[in-house]
Structures are given as structure tokens and as C-alpha cells.
Amino acid sequence: MARKIVATSHAPAAIGTYSQAVAFEAGATVYLSGQIGLDPQTMQMVDGIDAQIVRVFENLKAVAEAAGATLNDAVKFNIYLTDLANFAKVNETMARYVEQPYPARAAVGVKELPRGALIEADAILVKGTE
């Protein structure tokens, strides 16, 4: 099974030993790396939880598009929050990026995230599921 590395300048560049996304089986399955609220132009964290949630979904959307997919191709999201009280805000924002039927999802409270982020999210896409 061949793998294809997916990269775009419309999402933050990888800042470690990972790729923005990896696609398998002729690109049908795409694994998106975790995205935090980094602005891809400045590589600086946007301010506040609301802006970070939007930026995370914009970053995931950009990587999905670079793989020839959309966030509606998501079959699973993992959401990591430093404060689970912000989960309702995630739901509200996520509904603007993903249509029903919604994918599977996990939400996990964590002590801290890279670069002081308040949220991180990753996804698994299967192209053609919309």
C-alpha cells in the first residue's frame, strides 16, 4: 500500500517529526495530523479559545482540501481541550464546518498542548463519503 504525504501552505507547516497528512490506498483514506490554532502565515498562535477553535477547523479544512477532500469526508475527529468547559463552543463551531450525518468523535481533556494551545484536533477522512 503506497502512502502519499499531503502538504499545503494554507495550514501551518509541520513543526516536528510529522506530516500535515498522509493518504493511503490511492488517496482514499487520509489521516490529518493534529492542528492547533497557529496562523499559517505568521506561525503564531491566534488569541483566545474562540479564535483558536475557528483556526483549528480552518487548518484542518485546508489540509483536507490539499488532499482532494473536504471535512465532510471525515469519519472520525479527535478533539483535545485544556478546559472541557469549552466543548460547547467546539460543537457550535464544528457545525459550521461539517454537515450531518456527523462523523464519530472523541473529546479529551488534557493538561497542556503544544505552544500553549487551548485546543488541538485531528481527523481521519475517507474521500467520497459525503
Side-chain angles (χ1 to χ4, degrees), residues 31-54:
Y31 298 84
L32 303 184
S33 288
Q35 291 291 322
I36 57 177
L38 290 179
D39 180 296
Q41 303 308 312
T42 65
M43 291 299 287
Q44 298 300 311
M45 189 71 63
V46 297
D47 291 329
I49 186 63
D50 295 322
Q52 285 189 30
I53 294 169
V54 169

Side-chain angles (χ1 to χ4, degrees), residues 102-127:
Y102 298 125
R105 180 180 65 190
V108 180
V110 297
K111 181 179 176 188
E112 57 188 331
L113 291 164
R115 298 223 178 158
L118 303 173
I119 178 175
E120 181 171 354
D122 63 54
I124 300 171
L125 313 177
V126 178
K127 291 196 280 186

